[in-house]
Amino acid sequence: MRPLLAARLSRALVACYPPRWKQRYREEMLDVLDQHQASSRTILSLAGGALTAHLDPSYRMGRPVIKNKAGRALLIAAAGCMAMIALVYGVFTYTDVNQLIGDLVWHPGHAEGDVALVLTPDQRLLATLEGGEPDTAVVTLMSVGPAGLRQLSSFEGGVTVAIAPDGHLVATSGYGGEAALWNVARPRHPALLTILRPGSSNALWGEAFSPDSKLLAAAYGGTTALWDVARPARPRLLTVLAAHVGPVTHADIAFSPDGHLLALANGNGQVTIWDVTRPARAAPVATITVRDDYFQALAFSPHGDLLAGVTTAGTVLVYRLDDPGRPALTASRSGLAAQALYPGGVRAPAGLATDCPGCTAPSYALGFGPGGRALTVVLDKIFPDNSSRDTAFTWQVTASGSLTGGASAARDTWDGQPALAPDGRTIVDGSAFGRSAVGLWELPAATG
């Protein structure tokens, strides 16, 4: 039985218990269900427990002795409830589930390769998302250590993925486009906690956790929902921001290190900065605009005084945030897409330096190094001959926010979306077009 269906049936069975039993044990039982993945055995156990509780005089009513009519009414209600659950359980267990629920069936697939990779700040846990459809996408958890990557588990994904900094939660999307919250405190045994429904009819584009792992920003086509996930089993919707966003990823949503600011790329050349010090009363404080381009990745410096962004055309912009309401542009570097060499270090053919017919749109990763003294941009480009190359550009960052020096490193690879680790030097490569492989490579010391 599917985990989501089992979880919903389990909660329905808890509601079938007698009122006096629920007064004493309901919250405790729901907490247990939230921390463990429900299964067919869970459903059968709860069904038997509910029937037993209805037969127990201690829970049928306030007095230990009850009248026959009241007892019969309770037994009839319990029997009806059990029959309904048994019917649903039987239908979904012994019939063709694919025909009954169609798009709600998860068919793991890897046809589109990795579309997102996210590391925890300690770089010990990696979450990858493969596939591009809610009913085929797969989230995979991997441990990162001296021996490389080791797969821990895989579970149902969606079109986006984010991992909490403390490594205990993963946010992805469900079949209906809502945000889904998973407990991965035991990474080998992930468990679905809940589905977050903010009431938006738009598609979910991206998600990001705050640095303290207590706040989740879920960006939809026309709004961004802020959720309190300090108690992940009981998340609370705090507010819905009127912040339009385009097809973004977690890289287009960035919290400042202190969690007081939230930057959102909206897909049409603008970044809005919100004050989320009091999330329930979040307010916009500034808008950054670029012409004829749009941002693909955002990153705050470790001290939160700088915000960097990279655009589709390969322009890096750095803004100083001494006054968050008035971001001041301190540095700009352009032409990165044209500087990306072909595999083997070959220069692009004449006419392709700035315009590349047949090339895919570049994918970017962006991040500051420890202390904010360096800024690195990773550009992944797939060329018309189906060759691919990652190029990393690194600059030194001055106290004022300007960029100096500049070095680059590249590696021929066949990958999808790259990711930059928090150390500012390790690059994570995803797979492309169904090749299920993830790799790590480190920038040269002089570059990183």
Side-chain angles (χ1 to χ4, degrees), residues 305-363:
D305 56 341
L306 300 175
L307 175 65
V310 59
T311 70
T312 301
T315 299
V316 179
L317 302 168
V318 180
Y319 296 87
R320 191 160 187 85
L321 301 176
D322 293 327
D323 178 0
R326 296 182 179 181
L329 181 65
T330 59
S332 175
R333 295 289 188 275
S334 59
L336 300 190
Q339 296 176 42
L341 302 181
Y342 268 61
V346 179
R347 289 286 178 183
L352 295 186
T354 57
D355 184 19
C356 186
C359 291
T360 63
S363 299

Side-chain angles (χ1 to χ4, degrees), residues 333-391:
R333 295 289 188 275
S334 59
L336 300 190
Q339 296 176 42
L341 302 181
Y342 268 61
V346 179
R347 289 286 178 183
L352 295 186
T354 57
D355 184 19
C356 186
C359 291
T360 63
S363 299
Y364 293 95
L366 171 74
F368 287 89
R373 296 184 296 272
L375 176 66
T376 297
V377 174
V378 183
L379 180 153
D380 173 76
K381 199 169 185 179
I382 299 178
F383 298 94
D385 62 355
N386 286 333
S387 58
S388 177
R389 186 175 178 88
D390 278 358
T391 305

Side-chain angles (χ1 to χ4, degrees), residues 40-333:
S40 300
R41 183 177 297 180
T42 308
I43 293 173
L44 293 175
S45 176
L46 287 171
L51 184 59
T52 301
H54 276 284
L55 296 174
D56 188 341
S58 300
Y59 297 119
R60 284 187 291 189
M61 58 185 302
R63 295 183 299 274
V65 180
I66 63 173
K67 296 181 179 179
N68 290 335
K69 290 184 178 180
R72 285 196 297 270
L74 286 172
L75 288 176
I76 291 173
C81 189
M82 295 304 103
M84 181 62 68
I85 296 298
L87 176 62
V88 174
Y89 174 74
V91 166
F92 280 93
T93 302
Y94 298 108
T95 62
D96 186 355
V97 179
N98 293 339
Q99 295 180 1
L100 284 174
I101 57 178
D103 292 340
L104 295 183
V105 177
W106 181 50
H107 304 283
H110 306 272
E112 299 189 27
D114 289 294
V115 294
L117 304 106
V118 194
L119 278 162
T120 52
D122 61 9
Q123 299 183 194
R124 294 183 179 180
L125 194 62
L126 170 69
T128 73
L129 175 64
E130 296 179 79
E133 298 297 331
D135 59 348
T136 62
V138 178
V139 173
T140 300
L141 292 181
M142 299 183 183
S143 64
V144 184
L149 298 171
R150 182 163 53 95
Q151 183 171 328
L152 300 175
S153 61
S154 294
F155 53 92
E156 299 155 62
V159 296
T160 180
V161 67
I163 187 168
D166 63 9
H168 292 168
L169 295 173
V170 165
T172 181
S173 54
Y175 300 127
E178 309 97 337
L181 206 59
W182 291 77
N183 179 0
V184 295
R186 300 170 62 203
R188 292 185 179 276
H189 304 282
L192 179 63
L193 289 174
T194 186
I195 301 294
L196 308 179
R197 297 181 175 86
S200 173
S201 60
N202 295 311
L204 178 66
W205 287 117
E207 298 165 285
F209 287 94
S210 61
D212 62 4
S213 302
K214 295 181 179 180
L215 189 66
L216 175 68
Y220 293 81
T223 59
T224 297
L226 295 182
W227 288 86
D228 179 353
V229 292
R231 295 182 62 197
R234 298 286 186 272
R236 293 188 302 116
L237 179 61
L238 298 176
T239 188
V240 178
L241 310 180
H244 174 77
V245 294
V248 300
T249 68
H250 68 279
D252 302 333
I253 308 170
F255 280 93
S256 61
D258 60 8
H260 293 172
L261 297 177
L262 174 66
L264 296 166
N266 67 3
N268 63 1
Q270 289 186 332
V271 171
T272 54
I273 300 176
W274 293 74
D275 182 349
V276 292
T277 305
R278 302 174 66 185
R281 298 184 180 182
V285 295
T287 299
I288 297 172
T289 304
V290 295
R291 293 184 178 181
D292 303 322
D293 207 350
Y294 63 91
F295 288 92
Q296 273 211 358
L298 301 170
F300 282 92
S301 64
H303 301 298
D305 56 341
L306 300 175
L307 175 65
V310 59
T311 70
T312 301
T315 299
V316 179
L317 302 168
V318 180
Y319 296 87
R320 191 160 187 85
L321 301 176
D322 293 327
D323 178 0
R326 296 182 179 181
L329 181 65
T330 59
S332 175
R333 295 289 188 275

